[in-house]
C-alpha cells in the first residue's frame, strides 16, 4: 500500500489576478484593473488541489523560496489537504509569481519563474517517488531545469514503479523542444491541448499531430476547449463533446481541472471512457467559478455544480 495516490511534481507559484482591466497595457501608460486577487497559482498546483478535492491522496514535490509567497503556497496547499512534507525550500531563489491579465475567455500572463526553474533531477528523492502510485508532471517548458532533465526525471519515475501523466502546457519561448519519440513511450497518459500537440509535433492539424505521436503513446488525451476532448489509443480515437457552460466565469485552469478529473479516475482504476467523461465534467465545472480552484472548494460543491450546471450525476 503506497502512501500517496498522486504525487504532483513541478512548478509552484502564486497568481496575481487582475480583472476588469480598462483596455490593454501600453508602454509609458497606466491603466486600472478594478479587481485583484492573490491566489495559489501554477498548473500543477491547480491539478493537485482539485485531484485532492475529488478524493485522491496527493503530495507535492516542488520548489518555493523562503519568503511570504512561499508561505502562501504552503498554506494554500495544506488548506486543500495536500501533503507538503516533500516541498523543497530554495536557498537562492524567490517563489515564482504569475501576473495574469484576465480578459473574458482569455488572458495575458507574465511569469517570474524563480525557485520553480531550478528544481532538477538531483532534488527529486527516489524514496519519495516510491511512495506514490502515480506521478503527474505539468508545464515542462516553464521549468528550465526540469525541461533540460526531463528524460532522467521520467526514467526515475518509471524506475520507482509509478504510472506517469504529463501535460506540457505552453512554451513561453515558443521553441517547443520536446523529444516525443523518446519521452512518450514512458508516459502512461499524455495530456496536451490541441495547440501544444501541433506545436511539439510541428504539424498544422490535430489529425496529423495525432498520427505523429501514435507510434509512441500509451494513452493520449487532447484537450480542445469548448469542443471537448479527444482520447487516443493505439486501438482508436474518441471525441467526447464538452458539457457546454453558457455562463463562463473564466476558463483559467480548465485544462488542469480536466487533468485532475481524468487522473483521479485513472488512479481509482476506472476505464478510459469514465476518465474522459470526468475530465470533461471537471473541466466544465472549472469554468463555473473564478480561477482554477474556485469551483473545487469541496467534494459536495463539485457534485452540486455538476448537477446544477450540467445535469450530471457524480459519485465521489
Ligand atoms: N467553456 C467551457 N465549457 C465547458 N467545458 C469546457 C469549457 N472550456 C473547457 N472545457 C472543458 O475543459 C477541458 C480542458 O479545457 P481546455 O481545452 O481549455 O484545456 P487547456 O487548453 O489545457 O487549458 P489551460 O489553459 O487551463 O491549460 C476541455 O477539454 C473541455 O472538456
Ligand atoms: Mg493546458
Amino acid at each position: 500500500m503506497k502512501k500517496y495516490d498522486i504525487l504532483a511534481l513541478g512548478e509552484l507559484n502564486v497568481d496575481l489576478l487582475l480583472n476588469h482591466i480598462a483596455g490593454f497595457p501600453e508602454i509609458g501608460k497606466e491603466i486600472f484593473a478594478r479587481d485583484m486577487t492573490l491566489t495559489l497559482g501554477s498548473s500543477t498546483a491547480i491539478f493537485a488541489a482539485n485531484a485532492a478535492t475529488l478524493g485522491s491522496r496527493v503530495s507535492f514535490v516542488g520548489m518555493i523560496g523562503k519568503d511570504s509567497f512561499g508561505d502562501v503556497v504552503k498554506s494554500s496547499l495544506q488548506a486543500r489537504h495536500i501533503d507538503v512534507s516533500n516541498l523543497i525550500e530554495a536557498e537562492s531563489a524567490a517563489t515564482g509569481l504569475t501576473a495574469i491579465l484576465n480578459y473574458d475567455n482569455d488572458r495575458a500572463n507574465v511569469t517570474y519563474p524563480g525557485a520553480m526553474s531550478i528544481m532538477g533531477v538531483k532534488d527529486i528523492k527516489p524514496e519519495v517517488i516510491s511512495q506514490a502510485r502515480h506521478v503527474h508532471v505539468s508545464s515542462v517548458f516553464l521549468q528550465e531545469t526540469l525541461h533540460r532533465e526531463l528524460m532522467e526525471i521520467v526514467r526515475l519515475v518509471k524506475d520507482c514503479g509509478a504510472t506517469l501523466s504529463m501535460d506540457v502546457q505552453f512554451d513561453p519561448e515558443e521553441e517547443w523542444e520536446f523529444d516525443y519519440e523518446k519521452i512518450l513511450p514512458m508516459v502512461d497518459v499524455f495530456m496536451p491541448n490541441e495547440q501544444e500537440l501541433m506545436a511539439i509535433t510541428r504539424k498544422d492539424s490535430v489529425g496529423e499531430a495525432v498520427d505523429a505521436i501514435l507510434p509512441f503513446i500509451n494513452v493520449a488525451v487532447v484537450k480542445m476547449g469548448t469542443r471537448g476532448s479527444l482520447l487516443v489509443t493505439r486501438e482508436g480515437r474518441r471525441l467526447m463533446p464538452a458539457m457546454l457552460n453558457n455562463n463562463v466565469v473564466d476558463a483559467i485552469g480548465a485544462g488542469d481541472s480536466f487533468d485532475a478529473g481524468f487522473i483521479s479516475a485513472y488512479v481509482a482504476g476506472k476505464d478510459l471512457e469514465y476518465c474522459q467523461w470526468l475530465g470533461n465534467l471537471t473541466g466544465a465545472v472549472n469554468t463555473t467559478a473564478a480561477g482554477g480552484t474556485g469551483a473545487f472548494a469541496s467534494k459536495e460543491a463539485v457534485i452540486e455544480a455538476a448537477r446544477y450546471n450540467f445535469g450530471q450525476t457524480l459519485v465521489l
Side-chain angles (χ1 to χ4, degrees), residues 42 55 99 149 220 316:
S42 97
E149 299 176 355
L316 292 172

Side-chain angles (χ1 to χ4, degrees), residues 248-278:
V248 173
V249 175
D250 69 53
I252 295 169
D256 309 311
S257 296
F258 176 98
D259 295 352
F262 191 107
I263 293 302
S264 59
Y266 184 82
V267 297
K270 305 286 190 194
D271 62 41
L272 291 173
E273 186 166 357
Y274 182 89
C275 295
Q276 189 180 10
W277 171 79
L278 187 56

Side-chain angles (χ1 to χ4, degrees), residues 173-244:
E173 320 271 13
E174 297 196 54
E175 289 168 356
W176 302 100
E177 193 192 305
F178 184 82
D179 193 348
Y180 62 89
E181 299 187 9
K182 291 217 178 73
I183 295 168
L184 292 187
M186 291 188 280
V187 175
D188 297 276
V189 185
F190 184 50
M191 324 185 83
N193 71 20
E194 50 191 341
Q195 288 81 20
E196 294 151 5
L197 180 64
M198 290 189 284
I200 59 164
T201 55
R202 328 244 170 223
K203 303 289 184 199
D204 299 323
S205 73
V206 178
E208 285 175 285
V210 168
D211 290 341
I213 60 166
L214 197 59
F216 309 103
I217 59 161
N218 293 291
V219 172
V221 60
V222 185
K223 290 167 283 181
M224 305 168 72
T226 51
R227 283 178 294 119
S229 61
L230 179 72
L231 185 88
V232 184
T233 64
R234 241 34 92 61
E235 285 72 48
R237 299 169 196 198
R238 178 179 49 236
L239 177 69
M240 202 180 273
M243 299 168 204
L244 280 186

Side-chain angles (χ1 to χ4, degrees), residues 43 107 138 167-170 191-193 196 223 254-256 259:
S43 162
R107 59 244 177 221
S138 185
D167 183 345
V168 290
Q169 298 286 22
F170 197 77
M191 324 185 83
N193 71 20
E196 294 151 5
K223 290 167 283 181
D256 309 311
D259 295 352

